[in-house]
Amino acid sequence: MSNSTKNAIAASFLKLLDERPLNKITVKDIVADCGVNRNSFYYHFQDVPSLICEIVSDEVNKIISEHPTAESFEECLRVAGEFFITKRKRAALHIYNSANRDIFQTYLLRICDYIVETYLSREFEARKIREEDKSVIVRFFKCELFGQITEWLSGGFCADVIAMNERLCRLQRGMLDTLLSRCEIEA
């Protein structure tokens, strides 16, 4: 079986997911849409949740490879929300509102962790800070980022999340520097 068959299955699934909720999509629907048989689907994927897992994992890996650095918390928010804001808003919402939310949240947390650690590692370089304090700061910003996105998803994308996050970033300006100053170890 070729990789093009696997990609066709994933593309059909995403197309269907943009049109309707996850619980209204069957393997039969997917294979009919992409013109392959059920055996081809099961050759590549164990079931629909494994298909979701692979698609979301691939997207996370793509986001990570495209963003080797983050210059600001604003950029962290933009990158972590990129998939949901510009690419597959309805598909993301359908997965989030399904029984497979845990798959989605696991990978979202991975994006948040990567982006925040990438951003903060640059900030930590210039300062002498204990590892425990670094962990606490990373966890705080990762959870904030994750919380912002999941709250937005829970609300069905209703709020103007971009404007709200820009405002939050303006309000937080200087907060990281204050946190890092309080954590610095005296030489």
Side-chain angles (χ1 to χ4, degrees), residues 73-74 77 164-173:
F73 193 69
E74 290 93 331
L77 284 166
M164 188 171 61
N165 286 335
E166 286 173 357
R167 176 70 177 145
L168 175 64
C169 289
R170 281 193 303 275
L171 293 171
Q172 285 184 332
R173 224 164 253 136

Side-chain angles (χ1 to χ4, degrees), residues 3-17 22 25-31 33-34 36 40-59 83 95 100 103-104 107:
N3 215 19
S4 62
T5 301
K6 188 175 187 178
N7 292 338
I9 292 168
S12 287
F13 174 69
L14 287 171
K15 178 184 147 216
L16 294 170
L17 197 56
L22 182 59
I25 300 171
T26 64
V27 171
K28 183 179 178 181
D29 297 331
I30 297 166
V31 298
D33 185 78
C34 70
V36 300
S40 294
F41 178 92
Y42 289 113
Y43 177 82
H44 292 287
F45 304 101
Q46 181 179 351
D47 51 19
V48 172
S50 68
L51 171 59
I52 293 168
C53 200
E54 183 152 332
I55 289 170
V56 175
S57 176
D58 288 348
E59 188 62 32
F83 178 71
I95 294 170
N100 299 103
I103 294 170
F104 188 85
Y107 287 101

Side-chain angles (χ1 to χ4, degrees), residues 48-120:
V48 172
S50 68
L51 171 59
I52 293 168
C53 200
E54 183 152 332
I55 289 170
V56 175
S57 176
D58 288 348
E59 188 62 32
V60 167
N61 291 335
K62 183 177 167 193
I63 289 169
I64 288 171
S65 70
E66 290 175 357
H67 300 281
T69 63
E71 300 297 320
S72 66
F73 193 69
E74 290 93 331
E75 186 176 350
C76 292
L77 284 166
R78 183 187 54 73
V79 169
E82 186 176 276
F83 178 71
F84 317 110
I85 294 169
T86 59
K87 293 185 179 178
R88 297 268 180 207
K89 192 185 293 187
R90 287 182 55 92
L93 191 56
H94 285 148
I95 294 170
Y96 183 79
N97 288 323
S98 75
N100 299 103
R101 178 184 290 187
D102 60 326
I103 294 170
F104 188 85
Q105 287 179 323
T106 298
Y107 287 101
L108 174 59
L109 198 53
R110 183 172 164 220
I111 292 173
C112 293
D113 189 51
Y114 170 78
I115 295 298
V116 167
E117 283 197 23
T118 299
Y119 165 55
L120 290 177

